[in-house]
Amino acid sequence: MITIKEMANGFQYIEVKNDMACANIALQGAHIFHYVRQEEEPILWLSDMSDFEHDKSIRGGVPICWPWFGMNKRNSNLPQHGFARTLVWELQNSEDRDKNTTHISLKLSDSSETFSLWPYRFELIFNIIISDTLVMELITTNLDEKPFEITQALHSYFNISDITNVAVQGLDKKPYFDALTSKHLHQEGDVIFDKEVDRVYQNVSDEILLLDNFRTIRIKNEGSSSAVVWNPWIEKCARMSAMSEDAYLGMLCIESANAMENCIVIASQNSHTLRATIS
Ligand code: BG6
């Protein structure tokens, strides 16, 4: 069942309920902020302090970082992680394919507002399949006459039992940029957490596993060569907007991305698809 809902402040979202799962998707940012399979704990983490405010990204779920990930490399005054996560998208299609599977499709197009931040004509489609797996497909089409370059991320916040209980597999031997020290290093074994971690893994091709003591979440990425692994730990968490002091314990971001040297150049009238399947 698909219902369009509205919060008291006018913030609109799509509520999906089928026999396999439930999800909530905000029109602002095409932002999935809730996904839970029947009889399970939510897969996505959402801050209990998240303010669903206009023009402000939701803290949790899956923000879409686009057309740049992190700081804009030409102008650091531009919004971090681009503008797709704070603009209102258009609902293109919503359909219960059967009792287990719902498809949602949203679109963002260039406008005078996007042009003032990024001078290209584009179409961005976000297809979501909600079932016992969550499939997210971000299709970028260049409608301009010249090529453009993007970096991007499906910035998934996963809900975990406790950050000290989890390990991330699938990144062994991969090169990564450590955003905390600005060093280029290589991963040895699983990623485990006993301090702040903010890394961009490069040339990632394998499935990534998030091992928690009560379940394993699998992240299969296509059209993506980077994986961002982020937990703010104690001090950064205390400084961050819309996060309670101990929020870092219950969340871990593993982002399906194309970042830094894994940027994507799209020729005029061509498209690129980034797909993440969470199971
Ligand atoms: C991650 C970055 O992708 O996003 C972190 O690697 C950043 O450095 C985090 O703090 C959250 O960003 P924001 O803009 O949503 O607060």
Side-chain angles (χ1 to χ4, degrees):
M1 195 167 74
I2 302 158
T3 320
I4 307 284
K5 296 215 155 181
E6 197 166 306
M7 296 180 188
N9 64 356
F11 198 99
Q12 285 190 319
Y13 65 98
I14 307 155
E15 183 189 79
V16 173
K17 288 184 175 170
N18 60 40
D19 282 2
M20 285 294 164
C22 300
N24 292 335
I25 302 135
L27 292 183
Q28 179 175 295
H31 194 136
I32 306 171
F33 61 91
H34 177 61
Y35 170 65
V36 64
R37 294 192 291 229
Q38 298 298 353
E39 319 288 333
E40 282 190 29
E41 292 291 311
I43 300 270
L44 298 176
W45 178 86
L46 174 66
S47 172
D48 50 14
M49 287 175 66
S50 192
D51 6 79
F52 290 87
E53 276 183 58
H54 301 280
D55 306 326
K56 237 175 112 178
S57 182
I58 300 165
R59 179 69 69 203
V62 188
I64 296 178
C65 306
W66 190 97
W68 59 86
F69 168 81
M71 220 150 58
N72 184 286
K73 64 182 183 189
R74 284 187 195 88
N75 180 353
S76 59
N77 294 323
L78 291 177
Q80 152 128 319
H81 292 328
F83 49 76
R85 64 177 177 163
T86 48
L87 292 179
V88 176
W89 293 49
E90 192 188 313
L91 178 60
Q92 283 240 294
N93 188 35
S94 59
E95 189 187 354
D96 284 318
R97 288 279 164 92
D98 55 48
K99 62 187 180 31
N100 299 328
T101 314
T102 306
H103 285 223
I104 303 285
S105 182
L106 298 118
K107 181 170 106 167
L108 185 71
S109 301
D110 59 86
S111 62
S112 51
E113 194 177 353
T114 66
F115 230 80
S116 66
L117 298 162
W118 195 66
Y120 298 99
R121 297 193 54 217
F122 68 85
E123 181 188 76
L124 196 54
I125 300 283
F126 192 42
N127 294 320
I128 310 166
I129 305 175
I130 298 129
S131 188
D132 54 347
T133 60
L134 175 67
V135 182
M136 300 177 281
E137 188 180 69
L138 185 65
I139 307 168
T140 305
T141 302
N142 182 347
L143 297 180
D144 215 286
E145 277 151 21
K146 48 192 182 298
F148 61 58
E149 181 185 299
I150 56 163
T151 52
Q152 57 182 350
L154 299 172
H155 188 308
S156 309
Y157 285 76
F158 291 103
N159 179 37
I160 54 173
S161 63
D162 188 296
I163 190 68
T164 57
N165 287 338
V166 303
V168 178
Q169 282 184 352
L171 298 170
D172 189 24
K173 308 273 185 296
K174 293 295 174 196
Y176 69 86
F177 173 72
D178 187 335
L180 303 174
T181 59
S182 296
K183 286 191 174 148
H184 290 270
L185 301 166
H186 276 83
Q187 180 63 34
E188 291 298 332
D190 297 353
V191 190
I192 51 166
F193 303 87
D194 55 9
K195 56 178 184 299
E196 183 179 352
V197 168
D198 195 348
R199 301 176 183 167
V200 183
Y201 287 87
Q202 299 291 74
N203 310 331
V204 175
S205 45
D206 298 341
E207 191 171 59
I208 299 175
L209 302 184
L210 167 50
L211 273 53
D212 200 340
N213 57 0
F214 74 110
R215 71 170 167 207
T216 297
I217 295 174
R218 313 178 86 86
I219 305 152
K220 183 171 167 244
N221 295 324
E222 294 158 82
S224 154
S225 311
S226 315
V228 181
V229 177
W230 175 61
N231 181 283
W233 212 251
I234 302 164
E235 277 144 35
K236 182 162 177 179
C237 185
R239 290 197 306 272
M240 289 193 65
S241 62
M243 270 187 121
S244 62
E245 267 194 11
D246 60 357
Y248 75 96
L249 289 167
M251 52 74 60
L252 175 64
C253 288
I254 304 177
E255 307 170 31
S256 309
N258 290 299
M260 300 180 69
E261 56 266 34
N262 288 153
C263 63
I264 304 281
V265 176
I266 306 175
S268 172
Q269 312 309 317
N270 279 251
S271 299
H272 172 270
T273 301
L274 163 62
R275 188 180 300 107
T277 304
I278 313 295
S279 57

